[in-house]
Every structure is written in C-alpha cells, then in structure tokens.
Amino acid sequence: MQEECHKLLASYGISHFFVHLPLDYAEFGTCTSLFKAIGINNVIQQSIDIEGRSLPGIGEFESPISFQELSDRVSTVLSENIKTWKHSEKLIKRVGIITGAGNSTKCLRDAHNSECDVYITGEKILYTIQYAKFIKMNLIVGSHTFTEIFGVKSLSEKIKEKYDSLEIIGLVEDHSE
C-alpha cells in the first residue's frame, strides 16, 4: 500500500514527508494541539518519549467540568463517535492524553500517578478498559487518526507562516478505525 501511495503521489508531483514520532512529542504537536482543541490552555507536561515509552501529556481545565461535558466536547472536536467509560463521579480538572496508540496499561498508570481525572487516547484493547476500571480512571477513546490530526494541522499552520504562498488542503478521510 505504501509503495502504491508513493507512486500515485509522485505521478501528481506531490512530495511525502514523514514526521510522525517527532510530531507526537513536539511542543506544538499532537497532544498539545488536542489539549487546545478541547479547551485546555494549561499544559503542565507535554507528552514525551522516555526510553521508547510514551508518557502522557498532562493538562488542566481552568474550572472543572463534568465527564459528560468533556465526552461531548471530545466527540464534537474529533467529529466522530467516541467510546467512554466513567469510573468516577469526580468532576474533570486534570486530563492525561496520549494521542494515537496510547492503549498501554502503563500509560494509564502514568496518568493515574499524575492524579489525572480522565485519560484520553486513540486506541484501546481489552486491558486498557479493564485497567481503567481497576484504578477507577475515567477513559475516553477516539480513533488513532482523529486524535492526532490536530498536530498535523498545527504543523501545517507553522509551515504556512514561513511560506505564505503555500496552499494547505485538508483531506477528508473516512472513519475506518
């Protein structure tokens, strides 16, 4: 699939540039951009890579909101149906995020140890759900692609600032995850 994609892009004179992992951990990247999109401006810790393992970004709302309000907000921002598991009645103030594949129980544990009220990611497995229930962590899961797209938009905007003649075109993707 990758080879065919590259051939098609080349036939239209389009270059392809990979920045997946650096964008996950950039100051303006996927996690920080998703925080801003859901209304969190106080980023305490951006997501980081430590020895090949992602640590969640941590952010706080100015005023706590309900789990339902946050769930609705995330669904609206991502423009997709999300999955949610409510394991606590606490209002949501502190949020942990790993965009994309943050489905590891270690990621949830890190968010829990950072006193997050909810954990947001783009993928889940059975153990993600079971562990969230075990530690009483509220969980919101969107899709891998749509939790990360805001970082791509931020990068596009930064490139456009430097090269204002560029035209940025967003491609509409089907939800297939």
Side-chain angles (χ1 to χ4, degrees):
M1 212 168 128
Q2 181 180 6
E3 291 166 358
E4 290 301 314
C5 179
H6 284 241
K7 285 180 194 175
L8 185 60
L9 289 170
S11 74
Y12 286 98
I14 299 172
S15 298
H16 192 240
F17 177 65
F18 295 91
V19 293
H20 187 256
L21 281 178
L23 192 55
D24 283 348
Y25 307 116
E27 184 178 330
F28 63 87
T30 58
C31 181
T32 303
S33 295
L34 183 54
F35 275 132
K36 289 181 181 172
I38 63 172
I40 291 177
N41 295 315
N42 181 17
V43 177
I44 296 165
Q45 169 184 298
Q46 67 187 58
S47 60
I48 54 174
D49 175 78
I50 303 270
E51 299 176 4
R53 191 165 80 78
S54 294
L55 294 179
I58 309 294
E60 286 188 351
F61 285 107
E62 191 172 308
S63 299
I65 63 174
S66 71
F67 180 72
Q68 186 61 54
E69 183 179 345
L70 177 58
S71 298
D72 292 344
R73 192 179 291 189
V74 171
S75 183
T76 298
V77 163
L78 298 183
S79 298
E80 66 178 349
N81 293 323
I82 59 170
K83 301 287 186 193
T84 64
W85 291 266
K86 184 177 180 182
H87 298 299
S88 169
E89 294 300 322
K90 286 176 56 179
L91 288 175
I92 307 301
K93 173 87 171 165
R94 184 171 277 212
V95 177
I97 296 178
I98 294 181
T99 59
N103 57 8
S104 164
T105 56
K106 291 177 182 176
C107 299
L108 279 149
R109 183 191 62 209
D110 294 333
H112 180 64
N113 290 342
S114 295
E115 299 179 352
C116 292
D117 303 311
V118 65
Y119 178 69
I120 301 172
T121 191
E123 291 187 11
K124 64 164 176 47
I125 56 175
L126 175 62
Y127 303 120
T128 315
I129 299 164
Q130 289 176 328
Y131 190 67
K133 183 177 181 181
F134 176 72
I135 63 173
K136 297 178 178 52
M137 171 71 70
N138 293 315
L139 176 63
I140 297 176
V141 180
S143 66
H144 189 120
T145 300
F146 290 87
T147 58
E148 291 194 332
I149 198 68
F150 296 95
V152 175
K153 288 178 181 177
S154 293
L155 176 61
S156 298
E157 291 165 5
K158 287 192 168 296
I159 293 170
K160 178 107 174 123
E161 286 173 10
K162 185 158 176 99
Y163 303 99
D164 64 349
S165 64
L166 282 179
E167 179 182 3
I168 307 295
I169 300 170
L171 302 177
V172 179
E173 288 192 42
D174 291 334
H175 178 82
S176 60
E177 296 175 55

